Amino acid sequence: MKRTKIIDVLKSTEYGKAVCVKGWVRTHRSSKAVDFIALNDGSTIKNVQVVVDPEKTSISSLASQTSLSSQASLKDVTTGSCICVEGMLVESPAPGQPSEIQAAAIEIYGLCGNDYPMQKKGQSFEAMRKNAHMRLRTNTFGAVMRIRHNMAMAIHTYFHEHGFFYFHTPLITASDCEGAGNMFQVTTKNLYDLKKDEQGKIIYDDDFFGEQTSLTVSGQLEGELGATALGAIYTFGPTFRAENSNTPRHLAEFWMVEPEVAFLDQEELMDLEEDFIKYCVRWALDNCKDDLAFLNQMIDKTLIARLEGVLKETFVRLPYTEGINILQEAIKNGKKFEFPCNWGDDLASEHERYLVEEHFKKPVIMTDYPRAFKSFYMKQNEAQGEGSIGYKGAVAPGPTMQGTDVLFPQIGEIIGGSVREESYDKLMAEIERRQMDQTHLWWYIDTRRWGSCPHAGFGLGFERLILFVTGMQNIRDVIPFPRTPKSAEF
């Protein structure tokens, strides 16, 4: 008999129809007359109840699997076991479930012993990370992964509907987009016999690419090339940061969404950021109702209200200078922060969350950051006197750049964006001011020499979006197999 997915069985009202379902046992309980098996195949958070009369149900097992005994019985079917059930779909007399299956035959595909790590008993997320190969079968991680899929679909759909082209940028690069230097090297060299020059530097002439290469930290620079040819592009792929960070907000391997758009100014960029992220949240609410309801009950009881709140609010657009004034006023009124927040400081997550969660109580797009801690490619605001344009035309203490970072409740920064500097002379002046090595940037600089245009873009950390949409607290729990310092298993 052809298999029917459990999500479709639960929607069906064709009572009396023979069905075949296959999946993994969530629970198995016995009474005097019948057994009850809750079965799930990953297609939905909901289980289908299988009612088994041991006297009327045939039990068999796959003899081809050496781990199974051909004499396996119903009592061997425990949590985690994989089975096939053929039976009749009937209306359920129990509240909370529209239908159930009266089993006629059960075939056992795979049994689980008492050492199965994902038993029904509660476990911490930290413990489940040690069994990342099995945690995906739990209700929580099944819900998270289905939402992750839906968010990927929302991203592709949004950009396709808005005329963007999906653009693939390289994972292996010789340039460092962010200038951070924390990159994973890619090499075919024998690490036990490295050739070095007289200064002790490694010689890469005999390496695969003939020069030092690394895994990319961002596809932005190449994305800008795409935007200046196709008008509007987006990238969506893995990126890598070799930062020795063990916080709940950082991974060594994560996914980034990076649109780049020609002829876009700062106001239009903020419009795009707000519209895009609201589209993704709306998609989740429309397409992930069951999974969100489960996470709202089990993980964060304010989750759905918070998601709905994002759609209702117009994001605050807040220049950095005014943000600093608000934070310093809060300190005067007794607010305690771990890190300093003077003009010129890069805001910490605690500062961002204060502005979003306590002061404005809505998402914030922070703009016009000091040049000192922003990237070389950002467009600098026009100077007025000794500084640059600050809040409502006020003069900021120093030069500012047209950054546009979106700050979200419980997350902090979820999007980092900016208008890019299109002027060759201004870009070169910034590169030289920072004493940057231009060896691997010549192609990027060329875009400002030949047909340069105003353009802007942003980067969204995909896992941070999933954190917000699911209510999970650790970024390692929203990606199937997290890569973090000293951890590359599975």
Side-chain angles (χ1 to χ4, degrees), residues 274-423:
E274 181 170 349
D275 188 59
F276 166 70
I277 204 159
K278 282 184 173 180
Y279 182 96
C280 292
V281 172
R282 188 178 300 110
W283 184 289
L285 288 168
D286 289 344
N287 295 278
C288 306
K289 291 184 174 67
D290 290 341
D291 289 319
L292 287 177
F294 172 81
L295 294 172
N296 191 83
Q297 178 183 359
M298 302 300 295
I299 302 299
D300 183 347
K301 297 190 184 303
T302 66
L303 174 60
I304 292 177
R306 192 164 60 250
L307 295 176
E308 291 173 340
V310 166
L311 300 182
K312 296 175 184 176
E313 300 288 359
T314 298
F315 294 5
V316 175
R317 300 187 178 187
L318 178 73
Y320 168 90
T321 300
E322 178 64 11
I324 290 294
N325 292 341
I326 292 171
L327 292 168
Q328 291 180 341
E329 186 66 26
I331 292 173
K332 290 179 184 178
N333 292 329
K335 179 67 179 179
K336 301 292 184 181
F337 292 116
E338 181 180 356
F339 297 100
C341 55
N342 299 308
W343 200 97
D345 292 331
D346 193 359
L347 297 186
S349 178
E350 61 175 344
H351 305 135
E352 296 169 343
R353 291 186 61 177
Y354 172 81
L355 292 170
V356 172
E357 297 171 13
E358 298 185 46
H359 186 80
F360 290 107
K361 295 182 172 59
K362 63 175 68 175
V364 171
I365 305 179
M366 184 164 279
T367 68
D368 305 309
Y369 288 87
R371 180 176 67 182
F373 59 80
K374 286 299 181 180
S375 298
F376 75 96
Y377 50 72
M378 290 189 181
K379 187 176 183 65
Q380 187 170 316
N381 283 312
E382 294 297 325
Q384 285 190 348
E386 296 181 357
S388 300
I389 298 174
Y391 182 58
K392 295 181 179 178
V395 177
T400 61
M401 288 179 151
Q402 292 185 22
T404 57
D405 292 357
V406 180
L407 313 180
F408 255 36
Q410 295 199 331
I411 300 295
E413 182 188 329
I414 195 169
I415 283 179
S418 76
V419 179
R420 319 308 190 188
E421 181 54 70
E422 78 272 14
S423 165

Side-chain angles (χ1 to χ4, degrees), residues 365-484:
I365 305 179
M366 184 164 279
T367 68
D368 305 309
Y369 288 87
R371 180 176 67 182
F373 59 80
K374 286 299 181 180
S375 298
F376 75 96
Y377 50 72
M378 290 189 181
K379 187 176 183 65
Q380 187 170 316
N381 283 312
E382 294 297 325
Q384 285 190 348
E386 296 181 357
S388 300
I389 298 174
Y391 182 58
K392 295 181 179 178
V395 177
T400 61
M401 288 179 151
Q402 292 185 22
T404 57
D405 292 357
V406 180
L407 313 180
F408 255 36
Q410 295 199 331
I411 300 295
E413 182 188 329
I414 195 169
I415 283 179
S418 76
V419 179
R420 319 308 190 188
E421 181 54 70
E422 78 272 14
S423 165
Y424 172 82
D425 291 337
K426 291 180 179 179
L427 181 66
M428 287 304 300
E430 189 65 22
I431 289 173
E432 291 170 1
R433 189 187 72 81
R434 300 183 185 219
Q435 299 181 327
M436 295 176 61
D437 183 0
Q438 301 176 33
T439 304
H440 299 294
L441 286 175
W442 64 269
W443 53 270
Y444 182 74
I445 294 169
D446 273 355
T447 62
R448 271 61 171 182
R449 297 174 58 217
W450 298 322
S452 181
C453 70
H455 60 288
F458 66 80
L460 165 77
F462 185 51
E463 281 72 27
R464 290 197 178 187
L465 173 64
I466 307 305
L467 268 182
F468 179 75
V469 173
T470 61
M472 300 293 282
Q473 299 300 306
N474 195 309
I475 201 165
R476 303 177 192 199
D477 298 328
V478 296
I479 191 170
F481 308 107
R483 296 291 179 257
T484 55

